[in-house]
Amino acid sequence: MLATRSELLEKIRLGEDSFLEMKEVKFAGGKVRGPTQDGVANELAAFANSAGGVLLLGVEDTSRTVIGIELDKLDAVETVLREACEQSIKPPLAPIIERLTLPDAGGIEQPVIRVEVKRSLFVHQSPGGYLQRVGSSRRPIPPDQLARLFQQRSQSRLIRFDEMPVPGATLEHLCEDLWRRFVVSEGAAPREVALRKLAMAAQDDDGAWRPTVAGLLLGSERPQEFLPSAYIQAVAYQGTTVVPQGDSAYQIDASDMTGPLDR
């Protein structure tokens, strides 16, 4: 994203948008006075919670001119970036931090720092809360949208295989006598709540409740209806090898075991 010099220069000319944020870096002595660590964290987290983007440090956003960063202060700026990602964002971010040069108004190459953030598999919280990128600014994520985002991101990342909802299956495919065996309390919790706590049911991207892989394996008489490989095939061979010995029958017995996993 905005990886080439020509792309960056064109974007600077056009100004900030959903994918680009520009900031001038100011110093007080040898320390970075602006942007602050919290401010950087808010910008990067907003990109990660949205579709990704680039933070370009060393460029004044209003005039869209390259100011640059002094060479001996690049390390201090990178430290602020690293600490913002590790200490001020939960869960932490690992963006791409690149040092490069761009021409200022007089054509002189000036050092700048490009920070690329990918769309994250997680939802990130920064000092400003849960933020998203909307055009050239960041905005708080509304509660209903935030809940939906948590659901989408949790299902898209590498979650446990047995907790994934199974497409096409419904809660009616679960046998209550089977899944009730694992309910510890005798409260009158709705079926969806009880199954969710057991990780035997989950909502898919459309909000529909579906059995999880674990739910079908333990709470269905025919899990192989939706999980074709959900059975155990046992074979007994004569002798100590599965390789045929002459013309004699070497497979003595075989059985396909189906049904709930623990049975």
Side-chain angles (χ1 to χ4, degrees), residues 141-199:
I141 304 176
D144 55 341
Q145 185 179 341
L146 180 61
R148 185 66 171 168
L149 185 62
F150 266 110
Q151 182 187 45
Q152 292 173 340
R153 298 273 170 110
S154 66
Q155 290 179 357
S156 65
R157 68 177 184 260
L158 296 178
I159 61 174
R160 296 183 180 90
F161 173 73
D162 56 340
E163 295 182 6
M164 295 176 60
V166 179
T170 68
L171 298 189
E172 303 305 320
H173 291 100
L174 298 180
C175 177
E176 186 166 357
D177 290 340
L178 292 177
W179 66 261
R180 281 287 180 189
R181 299 176 296 160
F182 305 105
V183 177
V184 177
S185 63
E186 296 298 329
R191 176 180 60 171
E192 289 82 359
V193 174
L195 288 169
R196 177 178 59 79
K197 289 182 178 180
L198 294 169

Side-chain angles (χ1 to χ4, degrees), residues 3-18:
T4 67
R5 180 185 175 94
S6 59
E7 288 177 331
L8 279 173
L9 292 174
E10 180 64 14
K11 273 291 188 180
I12 292 173
R13 186 179 70 85
L14 295 174
E16 295 178 342
D17 56 18
S18 294

Side-chain angles (χ1 to χ4, degrees), residues 25-34 73 76:
V25 182
K26 299 179 180 180
F27 294 87
K31 295 184 178 180
V32 178
R33 181 166 62 87
K73 295 179 180 177

Side-chain angles (χ1 to χ4, degrees), residues 80-209:
V80 171
L81 288 168
R82 187 175 61 253
E83 291 179 350
C85 293
E86 296 174 353
Q87 301 173 8
S88 301
I89 301 176
K90 300 178 182 179
L93 274 178
I96 298 172
I97 302 176
E98 179 185 12
R99 303 183 187 191
L100 66 154
T101 63
L102 293 174
D104 60 16
I108 300 174
E109 294 290 324
Q110 299 289 348
V112 298
I113 292 182
R114 171 185 171 273
V115 186
E116 180 179 353
V117 180
K118 303 288 187 181
R119 177 186 183 275
S120 180
L121 293 176
F122 301 89
V123 183
H124 297 270
Q125 184 180 23
S126 59
Y130 290 101
L131 305 171
Q132 63 180 343
R133 189 77 178 183
V134 180
S136 60
S137 61
R138 61 178 187 267
R139 294 284 187 272
I141 304 176
D144 55 341
Q145 185 179 341
L146 180 61
R148 185 66 171 168
L149 185 62
F150 266 110
Q151 182 187 45
Q152 292 173 340
R153 298 273 170 110
S154 66
Q155 290 179 357
S156 65
R157 68 177 184 260
L158 296 178
I159 61 174
R160 296 183 180 90
F161 173 73
D162 56 340
E163 295 182 6
M164 295 176 60
V166 179
T170 68
L171 298 189
E172 303 305 320
H173 291 100
L174 298 180
C175 177
E176 186 166 357
D177 290 340
L178 292 177
W179 66 261
R180 281 287 180 189
R181 299 176 296 160
F182 305 105
V183 177
V184 177
S185 63
E186 296 298 329
R191 176 180 60 171
E192 289 82 359
V193 174
L195 288 169
R196 177 178 59 79
K197 289 182 178 180
L198 294 169
M200 295 179 73
Q203 289 177 286
D204 62 15
D205 289 340
D206 297 322
W209 283 97

